[in-house]
């Protein structure tokens, strides 16, 4: 089931639980604006190349829209719509004053030189500069983009609007990026896991973790969980998977991954089939890679008691049902991985104030937001007698619906 169908399904279930009227329900789903632009650049060899850039702005009832920009060859409009909508719910769960957006350029960044990527980013910014803005829509990095991309967007935008560091987040620290942003999603996963385990009378120390995906989020989560006394028993990435039931030495693994561009060949664990990692024995499973990895094919074989969704949409709805019947507790993506967008909000706040925080303040504020977020989700679970995913969705949809009605926008 694709991401858009699943997101719409969760939204409709939440709307039903909340008793929203049909008109309001419909208006909350329709995107505020969809933008599509042609970006033509001279390549290094002098020939011209054209790419399609786009931005879906989903909702701005609670504040400016917020979401990533990805550079990827297969940009599926349905998926972008789903991710923009997901950002509306994610920012509402985190209780930060944003709505959702998503965008990007259909290109293969690996086939473009750095100067071609810079030209492409600047042309894209020229085409959308009057549709984004500090109080309108604040982009961030996503697949295939990073701090350097944000620096180019900031510079190009500033040519039209004056120096505006708050127009994008995920910037280099030298241009107003926030300390702690790099680790933010992984650290948020740690705080979310702590809050969930606390509820069940457990702590991170001594629990056995499996982490599927060892990119930015997975590697930071592994490092921080390891530092908190958790035992990482298996890890995988695109190169392969390793297992060590005594617990993997995470600092050595991080060193190996930096030197060899992947976990494959790490001597501190036995190689296993990457496809079997989700069903290995553990207490807590953290999917931190792609969507749709937990399906009805493998849900019955999962041994974890808790699943923390660090990736977007890793569990499909049929798997959700199978797992909840088994009593597995799933902490949903729209809460579990919201650490990144929360620290992006802190970055935006610091830029607007022109006053930067130290890293300790960033991490403490993040802990406060994640802990409060979990409490709010649990309250909704009690009110509507539902699981954590529906608790998070009802919390989010309710906040957006209330803002929409208060602003006099309901149809």
């Amino acid at each position: 089931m694709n991401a858009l169908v699943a997101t719409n399904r969760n939204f409709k279930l939440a709307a039903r639980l909340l008793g929203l009227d049909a008109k309001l329900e419909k208006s909350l789903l329709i995107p505020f604006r969809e933008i599509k632009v042609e970006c033509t650049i001279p390549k290094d060899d002098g020939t011209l190349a054209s790419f399609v850039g786009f931005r879906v702005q989903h909702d701005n009832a609670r504040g400016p829209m917020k979401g990533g920009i990805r550079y990827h060859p297969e940009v599926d409009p349905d998926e972008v719509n789903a991710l923009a909508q997901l950002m509306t719910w994610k920012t509402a769960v985190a209780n930060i004053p944003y709505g959702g957006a998503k965008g990007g350029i259909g290109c293969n960044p690996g086939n473009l030189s750095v100067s071609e990527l810079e030209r492409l980013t600047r042309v894209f910014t020229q085409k959308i500069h009057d549709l984004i803005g500090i109080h309108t829509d604040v982009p961030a990095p996503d697949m295939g983009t990073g701090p350097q991309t944000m620096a180019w967007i900031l510079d190009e935008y500033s040519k039209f609007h004056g120096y505006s560091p708050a127009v994008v987040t995920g910037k280099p620290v030298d241009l107003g990026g926030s300390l702690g942003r790099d680790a933010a999603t992984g650290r948020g996963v740690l705080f979310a896991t702590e809050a969930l385990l606390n509820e069940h009378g457990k702590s991170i120390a001594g629990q056995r973790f499996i982490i599927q995906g060892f990119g930015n989020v997975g590697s930071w989560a592994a490092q921080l969980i390891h530092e908190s006394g958790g035992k990482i028993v298996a890890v995988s990435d695109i190169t392969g998977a390793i297992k060590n039931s005594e617990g993997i030495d995470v600092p050595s693994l991080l060193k190996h991954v930096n030197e060899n561009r992947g976990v494959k060949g790490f001597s501190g664990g036995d190689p296993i089939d990457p496809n079997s990692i989700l069903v290995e024995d553990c207490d807590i499973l953290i999917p931190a890679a792609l969507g749709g990895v937990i399906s009805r094919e493998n849900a019955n074989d999962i041994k974890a008691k808790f699943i923390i969704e660090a990736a977007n949409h890793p569990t499909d709805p049929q798997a959700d049902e199978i797992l909840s019947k088994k009593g597995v507790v799933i902490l949903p993506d729209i809460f579990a991985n919201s650490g990144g967008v929360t620290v992006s909000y802190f970055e935006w706040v610091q830029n607007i104030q022109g006053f930067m925080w130290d890293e300790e303040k960033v991490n403490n504020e993040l802990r406060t937001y994640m802990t409060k977020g979990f409490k709010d989700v649990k309250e909704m679970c009690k009110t509507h007698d539902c699981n954590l995913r529906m608790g998070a969705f009802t919390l989010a949809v309710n906040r957006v619906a209330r803002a929409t009605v208060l602003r006099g926008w309901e149809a």
Side-chain angles (χ1 to χ4, degrees):
M1 186 182 288
N2 76 17
L4 185 62
V5 175
T7 308
N8 283 346
R9 179 177 176 272
N10 287 327
F11 167 77
K12 290 201 162 89
L13 288 169
R16 209 156 300 149
L17 278 175
L18 292 162
L20 295 191
D21 75 77
K23 271 186 181 167
L24 179 58
E25 184 180 326
K26 192 177 167 202
S27 78
L28 289 179
L29 273 187
I30 299 168
F32 168 75
R33 177 162 54 193
E34 295 188 33
I35 302 148
K36 205 174 199 178
V37 293
E38 184 186 29
C39 302
T40 304
I41 58 157
K43 296 193 73 174
D44 292 344
D45 63 6
T47 60
L48 290 178
S50 276
F51 303 90
V52 176
F54 54 91
R55 185 81 173 156
V56 175
Q57 297 175 330
H58 177 255
D59 189 279
N60 59 359
R62 298 180 63 256
M65 293 162 288
K66 186 94 192 72
I69 287 182
R70 53 175 56 182
Y71 288 2
H72 194 270
E74 284 109 47
V75 177
D76 169 30
D78 267 2
E79 187 185 20
V80 176
N81 255 308
L83 292 169
Q85 192 197 129
L86 211 53
M87 284 303 294
T88 296
W89 313 134
K90 190 178 290 186
T91 50
V93 170
N95 209 14
I96 53 182
Y98 289 140
K102 205 73 171 187
I105 299 175
C107 69
N108 187 341
N111 296 346
L112 297 169
S113 70
V114 173
S115 58
E116 287 167 343
L117 282 169
E118 176 174 355
R119 288 197 288 277
L120 182 56
T121 304
R122 289 182 182 276
V123 168
F124 182 50
T125 309
Q126 287 164 18
K127 299 269 178 134
I128 66 165
H129 76 88
D130 51 352
L131 300 168
I132 61 172
I134 298 170
H135 299 295
T136 313
D137 178 2
V138 181
D142 200 308
M143 281 157 63
T145 58
Q148 180 60 69
T149 323
M150 298 304 109
W152 292 327
I153 295 175
L154 160 61
D155 182 69
E156 198 61 33
Y157 181 87
S158 295
K159 290 175 184 175
F160 297 95
H161 302 273
Y163 183 60
S164 317
V167 74
V168 286
T169 59
K171 298 182 292 293
V173 172
D174 293 332
L175 285 177
S178 178
L179 297 171
R181 175 65 190 89
D182 188 43
T185 310
R187 194 175 293 277
V189 167
L190 171 81
F191 293 153
T193 307
E194 280 178 343
L196 177 65
L197 290 176
N198 200 10
E199 177 82 14
H200 290 264
K202 297 174 161 52
S203 69
I204 291 209
Q207 299 290 325
R208 295 167 309 138
F209 290 81
I210 286 179
I211 299 182
Q212 187 232 7
F214 209 68
N216 170 282
V217 181
S219 58
W220 274 110
Q223 189 179 328
L224 296 164
I225 286 164
H226 178 78
E227 285 168 13
S228 302
K231 211 153 97 165
I232 314 281
V233 293
V235 164
S236 73
D237 67 7
I238 45 173
T239 64
I242 49 155
K243 174 186 176 181
N244 180 343
S245 40
E246 296 305 304
I248 291 166
D249 177 359
V250 175
S252 307
L253 175 62
L254 288 164
K255 191 164 172 283
H256 172 90
V257 168
N258 283 338
E259 287 164 6
N260 301 282
R261 318 264 328 227
V263 303
K264 190 180 180 188
F266 178 62
S267 57
D270 303 317
I272 55 168
D273 175 5
N275 296 322
S276 75
I277 185 142
L278 298 166
V279 300
E280 292 288 334
D281 188 29
C282 68
D283 301 311
I284 296 154
L285 172 63
I286 304 183
L290 295 170
V293 293
I294 300 174
S295 61
R296 64 165 178 227
E297 277 75 52
N298 59 10
N300 275 313
D301 302 324
I302 285 176
K303 300 175 183 69
K305 301 169 195 69
F306 299 94
I307 296 175
I308 314 289
E309 295 187 335
N312 280 320
H313 186 63
T315 316
D316 76 24
Q318 292 120 326
D320 235 354
E321 281 178 33
I322 296 168
L323 290 163
S324 64
K325 283 199 181 91
K326 282 174 61 170
V328 178
V329 177
I330 301 176
L331 198 61
D333 51 1
I334 61 167
F335 169 69
N337 67 26
S338 63
V341 71
T342 303
V343 174
S344 280
Y345 163 60
F346 298 162
E347 180 178 334
W348 180 77
V349 166
Q350 292 169 75
N351 295 152
I352 288 172
Q353 287 188 328
F355 179 80
M356 303 308 284
W357 305 349
D358 62 24
E359 193 167 347
E360 190 183 3
K361 179 169 168 68
V362 174
N363 294 342
N364 287 340
E365 291 287 344
L366 177 60
R367 182 188 286 271
T368 304
Y369 268 78
M370 296 297 294
T371 311
K372 176 81 170 74
F374 183 73
K375 273 204 187 83
D376 293 344
V377 170
K378 282 303 286 187
E379 279 301 304
M380 288 308 255
C381 292
K382 286 197 186 92
T383 306
H384 296 287
D385 187 24
C386 60
N387 64 15
L388 288 163
R389 190 181 310 282
M390 272 305 108
F393 265 90
T394 49
L395 176 65
V397 173
N398 192 40
R399 280 179 174 155
V400 178
R402 286 197 352 221
T404 304
V405 170
L406 286 166
R407 293 183 70 165
W409 293 356
E410 80 275 32

